[in-house]
């Protein structure tokens, strides 16, 4: 089984660094360079203010302005995406470790400082409703077709436009997809979080919603594509159905709530479901990014996002398995 992943925004390589094997990231464009500069700054914030989280991020992160590279110590382990692909399920122990890691990050990083880098999540979902000319100019034919579908869906477009970001109240990872979670081979901590280029001061519900959206996306990606047959009919043939993912997703929510309880849990669940929908929209465009034609997979992501935004309370319980 393969768990699909979006193409990387950066060029990556491995080499021998000052303290051992190193992982190196180089930007593909000036915009992506800004992302790497943010990532380097976020590592600094985590090291100084978030001791538990600092043990779960790559060590020795350093920005080389001359070469435009971000170098860090290589982290052992496999991605959560590869772990799920190998086992055929979302391991509740690993998922709970992610929930604890993210919850402790938000607890440690509460009350971000004015000079902390900002996590601009609005351009990763909400902003796509009215993209900039620069973004449209680099869209594929499939991406433009998907944008037209979104803009014709007045209900979905209106709900996305209404989801303005709330006041940043914690340091967030910003891109909590399965490929950015490494499951350690044996040692502690059980998981590590990598690729912090979208991190910074932001909304904690975005991180939680991103993880839930990653689970939903994995389910959608496992539904076979058969020409002429609707996705609704094929959903029963999914290789990775939500029922298989549910124990792990439930363990994530429980561990997260134990690490950082919320005073208004009902409002929190609704917000997480709404932002999971936003992330599914962004994921749809990631999958359409290099397509010459519009495929069914991005459309399915939009459909689920629309349903979540139309009924976030029900969606949180029945699709996202929030307790």
């Amino acid at each position: 089984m393969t768990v699909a992943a979006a193409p990387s925004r950066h060029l990556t390589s491995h080499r021998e660094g000052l303290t051992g094997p190193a992982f190196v990231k180089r930007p593909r464009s000036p915009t992506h360079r800004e992302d790497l500069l943010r990532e380097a700054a976020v590592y600094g914030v985590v090291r100084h203010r978030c001791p538990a989280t600092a043990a779960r991020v790559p060590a020795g992160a350093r920005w080389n302005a001359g070469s435009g590279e971000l170098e860090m110590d290589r982290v052992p382990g496999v991605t959560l995406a590869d772990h799920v692909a190998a086992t055929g399920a979302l391991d509740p122990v690993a998922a709970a470790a992610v929930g604890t890691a993210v919850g402790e990050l938000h607890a440690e990083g509460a009350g971000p400082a004015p000079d902390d880098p900002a996590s601009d999540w609005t351009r990763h979902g909400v902003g796509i409703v009215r993209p900039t000319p620069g973004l449209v100019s680099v869209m594929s034919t499939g991406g433009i077709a998907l944008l037209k579908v979104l803009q014709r869906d007045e209900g979905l477009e209106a709900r996305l436009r209404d989801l303005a970001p709330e006041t940043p109240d914690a340091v967030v990872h910003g891109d909590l997809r399965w490929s950015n979670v490494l499951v350690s081979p044996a040692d502690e901590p059980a998981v590590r979080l990598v690729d912090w280029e979208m991190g910074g001061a932001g909304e904690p519900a975005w991180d939680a919603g991103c993880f839930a959206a990653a689970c939903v996306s994995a389910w959608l990606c496992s539904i076979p594509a058969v020409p002429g047959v609707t996705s609704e009919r094929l959903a029963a043939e999914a290789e990775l159905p939500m029922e298989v993912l549910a124990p792990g997703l439930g363990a994530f929510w429980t561990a997260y709530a134990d690490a950082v309880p919320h005073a208004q849990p009902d409002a929190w669940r609704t917000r997480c479901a709404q932002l999971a929908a936003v992330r599914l929209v962004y994921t749809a465009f990631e999958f359409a990014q290099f397509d010459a034609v519009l495929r069914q997979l991005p459309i399915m992501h939009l459909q689920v996002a629309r349903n979540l935004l139309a009924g976030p309370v029900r969606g949180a319980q029945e699709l996202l398995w929030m307790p």
Side-chain angles (χ1 to χ4, degrees), residues 227-310:
V229 182
T230 64
S231 56
E232 289 78 7
R233 288 182 58 188
L234 290 169
E237 306 299 325
E239 192 174 358
L240 195 63
M242 285 303 298
E243 290 78 8
V244 172
L245 297 169
L249 189 50
F252 166 83
W253 290 121
T254 299
Y256 181 90
D258 288 343
V260 53
H262 287 273
Q264 297 178 305
D266 290 341
W268 166 255
R269 283 192 291 267
T270 298
R271 186 65 175 172
C272 286
Q274 291 171 328
L275 296 190
V278 173
R279 184 52 187 245
L280 286 171
V281 172
Y282 177 59
T283 303
F285 279 90
E286 286 186 315
F287 283 126
Q289 185 175 0
F290 299 105
D291 289 343
V293 297
L294 182 56
R295 296 181 295 133
Q296 185 65 18
L297 181 60
I299 292 294
M300 288 193 296
H301 280 71
L302 283 191
Q303 290 173 335
V304 175
R306 190 184 198 283
N307 293 339
L308 266 177
L309 289 176

Side-chain angles (χ1 to χ4, degrees), residues 98-108 252 255-257 259-260:
V98 179
T100 298
V102 178
E104 289 184 351
L105 164 67
H106 295 163
E108 292 181 318
F252 166 83
Y256 181 90
V260 53

Side-chain angles (χ1 to χ4, degrees), residues 6 27 60 96 98 116 131 153 167 186 203 231 241 279 284 299 313:
V98 179
D116 283 349
D153 190 333
T167 303
E203 190 177 348
S231 56
R279 184 52 187 245
I299 292 294
V313 175

